[in-house]
């Protein structure tokens, strides 16, 4: 029964809003659903009315045809919603609660979840550790760029906001808690950012901007954000970051002009596998560029956080190696400089409660930093197209018109 609508992937460059079945407390068959997950019962789940759901750069990789995502996949893993139904196994979450949904789906029962590694839960994806809503090879849990969505293990996964009115007032900031803000923060923490650090963030898309704002929150002395897109660099400057235009050559020279030395204490890769070259090569895809550059730029003994997405299968890769996620890394440089690296999904639950508190107590304005822009569900295809063209905006889909701010 079509009592729901959502954004679906219909092939490279194409997303469409389609009628969907209203979610139930069972995982039904459909595009991308792992056969072993079909029929999986979720008495521990809750159904949410989606209040806001964001378009992510990771979604864009799929929409560009750079993954093996199947046609018809319901997109969206950044979700904030109101609980409208709970399963018989849900004890603490109640109907009417307004909650953030971590993009990682986690059971709360396995060894990894108990160790706080919720990005690599062992029980929710039959293929490999880790799962997410509306994402390729992640078990087939339906995405949240829709009017309604089911969240399994609700008592464990949902972050309930303490006051509904306050949450609605700050909804554009709080919607970033599902992924982008914790992911950027994780990148900065993984890079060892602390009071007085100098930080280089590669990529001025929403995750890079969130990483930059997070570095400031952590006490960095100077945050330098690099990109090819002047509009995105201007957005970084709008909240106090220094910027580097990598189309103008090796970023080391520009960093030296800013800091007096050609290196930083901490580096963050917020670009991922669709990286481009620097200088004259800026128009050409070169997926190892950012990682190799960060190894050159980061001071010996430093660390590199890698929230940018890298995949094991890329049909559009520049060569056979890139198509299977094998990059030509100068690992010897990293070894010689004793650099540390942290990769993988951000374990959102490690950070989201603390970041919620920072938002509620006005310690950070993350929506302003990433230029949150509200659109309707029907405008989602336009949002994807504009985001893909390089617009310096974080598109927030408002399926029910609750924010009153849709453009």
């Amino acid at each position: 029964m079509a009592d729901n609508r959502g954004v679906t992937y219909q092939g490279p460059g194409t997303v469409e809003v389609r009628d969907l079945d209203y979610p139930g407390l069972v995982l039904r068959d459909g595009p991308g659903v792992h056969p072993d997950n079909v029929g999986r019962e979720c008495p521990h789940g809750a159904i949410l009315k989606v209040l806001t759901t964001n378009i992510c750069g990771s979604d864009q990789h799929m929409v560009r045809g750079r993954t093996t995502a199947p046609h018809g996949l319901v997109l969206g893993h950044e979700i904030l919603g109101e609980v409208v139904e709970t399963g018989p196994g849900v004890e603490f979450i109640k109907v009417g609660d307004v909650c953030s949904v971590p993009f990682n789906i986690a059971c709360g029962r396995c060894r990894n979840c108990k160790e706080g590694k919720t990005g690599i839960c062992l029980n929710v994806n039959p293929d490999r550790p880790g799962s997410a809503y509306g994402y390729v090879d992640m078990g087939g849990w339906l995405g949240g760029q829709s009017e309604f969505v089911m969240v399994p293990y609700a008592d464990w996964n949902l972050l309930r906001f303490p006051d509904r009115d306050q949450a609605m007032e700050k909804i554009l900031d709080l919607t970033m808690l599902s992924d982008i803000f914790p992911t950027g923060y994780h990148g900065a923490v993984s890079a060892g950012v602390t009071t007085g650090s100098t930080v280089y963030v590669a990529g001025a898309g929403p995750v890079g901007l969130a990483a930059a704002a997070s570095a400031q929150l952590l006490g960095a002395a100077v945050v330098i954000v690099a990109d090819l897109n002047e509009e995105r660099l201007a957005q970084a400057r709008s909240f106090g970051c220094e910027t580097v235009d990598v189309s103008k050559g090796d970023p080391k020279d520009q960093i030296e002009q800013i800091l007096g030395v050609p290196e930083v204490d901490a580096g963050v890769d917020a670009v991922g596998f669709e990286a481009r070259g620097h200088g004259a090569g800026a128009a050409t895809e070169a997926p190892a560029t950012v990682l190799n550059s960060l190894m050159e730029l980061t001071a010996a003994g430093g660390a590199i956080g890698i929230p940018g997405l890298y995949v094991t299968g890329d049909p559009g890769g520049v060569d056979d190696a890139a198509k299977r996620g094998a990059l030509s890394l100068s690992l010897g440089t990293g070894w010689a400089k004793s650099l540390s690296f942290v990769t993988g999904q951000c374990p959102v639950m490690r950070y989201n409660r603390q970041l919620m508190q920072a938002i509620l107590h006005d310690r950070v304005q993350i929506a302003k930093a990433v230029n949150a822009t509200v659109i309707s569900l029907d405008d989602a295809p336009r949002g994807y197209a504009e985001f893909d063209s390089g617009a310096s905006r974080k598109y927030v889909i408002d399926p029910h018109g609750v924010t009153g701010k849709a453009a």
Side-chain angles (χ1 to χ4, degrees):
M1 182 171 63
D3 290 320
N4 190 16
R5 294 192 309 144
V7 182
T8 63
Y9 170 66
Q10 297 296 334
T14 304
V15 296
E16 295 179 1
V17 178
R18 297 245 177 133
D19 289 338
L20 307 173
D21 288 340
Y22 188 83
L25 297 175
V26 62
L27 195 54
R28 307 184 183 110
D29 197 7
V33 180
H34 193 284
D36 291 346
N37 261 351
V38 174
R40 184 170 182 162
E41 296 183 359
C42 300
H44 43 66
I47 296 172
L48 272 63
K49 174 183 177 181
V50 177
L51 303 182
T52 55
T53 174
N54 315 326
I55 298 175
C56 179
S58 298
D59 298 322
Q60 204 66 271
H61 292 306
M62 289 189 292
V63 171
R64 291 185 187 122
R66 297 299 296 269
T67 72
T68 56
H71 293 199
L73 183 71
V74 181
L75 300 169
H77 56 269
E78 301 190 13
I79 308 163
L80 183 154
E82 177 185 357
V83 176
V84 294
E85 180 182 342
T86 60
V90 178
E91 184 176 0
F92 303 109
I93 292 293
K94 305 298 182 186
V95 170
D97 287 345
V98 176
C99 305
S100 176
V101 184
F103 81 89
N104 322 110
I105 301 173
C107 72
R109 296 154 165 80
C110 71
R111 171 181 174 175
N112 284 349
C113 284
K114 289 179 179 180
E115 293 177 353
K117 302 171 184 174
T118 55
I120 44 174
C121 173
L122 299 173
N123 288 333
V124 287
N125 183 357
D127 270 338
R128 62 185 185 213
S131 190
Y133 303 89
Y135 210 81
V136 59
D137 295 333
M138 288 291 186
W141 302 89
L142 266 64
Q145 287 175 12
S146 54
E147 294 174 332
F148 298 91
V149 70
M150 191 270 284
V151 174
Y153 305 101
D155 280 329
W156 168 253
N157 282 308
L158 292 176
L159 174 66
R160 177 171 48 199
F161 300 129
D163 181 271
R164 179 189 177 89
D165 291 340
Q166 185 186 33
M168 295 307 295
E169 180 184 345
K170 295 181 178 290
I171 192 169
L172 293 188
D173 293 292
L174 294 172
T175 193
M176 307 303 167
L177 289 173
S178 57
D179 178 1
I180 178 179
F181 193 12
T183 292
Y185 191 84
H186 180 59
V189 169
S190 300
V193 176
T194 186
T195 304
S197 296
T198 56
V199 185
Y200 178 83
V201 179
V207 169
L209 296 172
S214 298
Q216 293 176 337
L217 187 62
L218 288 164
V222 182
V223 180
I224 303 169
V225 180
D227 206 287
L228 304 163
N229 181 319
E230 175 52 35
E231 182 183 349
R232 290 183 168 184
L233 292 174
Q235 181 63 28
R237 289 192 293 271
S238 75
F239 60 97
C241 298
E242 301 286 347
T243 58
V244 163
D245 184 343
V246 295
S247 70
K248 295 181 179 177
D250 191 329
K252 290 177 71 173
D253 298 332
Q254 296 177 66
I255 289 171
E256 186 168 20
Q257 291 175 10
I258 295 168
L259 298 177
V261 293
E263 63 181 18
V264 294
D265 300 322
V268 178
D269 174 5
V271 178
F273 73 103
E274 289 192 65
R276 296 187 177 276
H278 294 162
T284 304
E285 191 167 306
T289 298
V290 169
L291 290 172
N292 285 331
S293 175
L294 282 167
M295 285 189 275
E296 291 285 343
L297 296 172
T298 304
I304 299 171
I306 310 174
L309 175 67
Y310 288 87
V311 295
T312 56
D314 173 13
V318 294
D319 53 35
D320 288 339
K323 288 178 181 178
R324 61 179 189 276
L327 308 182
S328 298
L329 297 179
S330 180
L331 193 58
T333 300
W335 189 94
K337 297 176 72 174
S338 295
L339 299 175
S340 301
F341 306 83
V342 176
T343 67
Q345 286 189 37
C346 165
V348 170
M349 293 175 68
R350 189 178 299 173
Y351 308 108
N352 62 350
R353 185 173 298 277
Q354 300 95 307
L355 295 178
M356 175 187 74
Q357 291 291 85
I359 289 170
L360 295 180
H361 293 280
D362 298 318
R363 300 299 298 168
V364 64
Q365 288 76 45
I366 190 65
K368 182 178 180 181
V370 302
N371 196 16
T373 302
V374 181
I375 58 175
S376 68
L377 184 65
D378 288 321
D379 269 343
R382 174 178 65 84
Y384 269 95
E386 291 181 1
F387 188 30
D388 192 48
S389 72
S392 184
R393 296 178 178 181
K394 177 67 172 176
Y395 286 96
V396 178
I397 299 171
D398 178 355
H400 297 278
V402 299
T403 69
K405 299 176 181 178

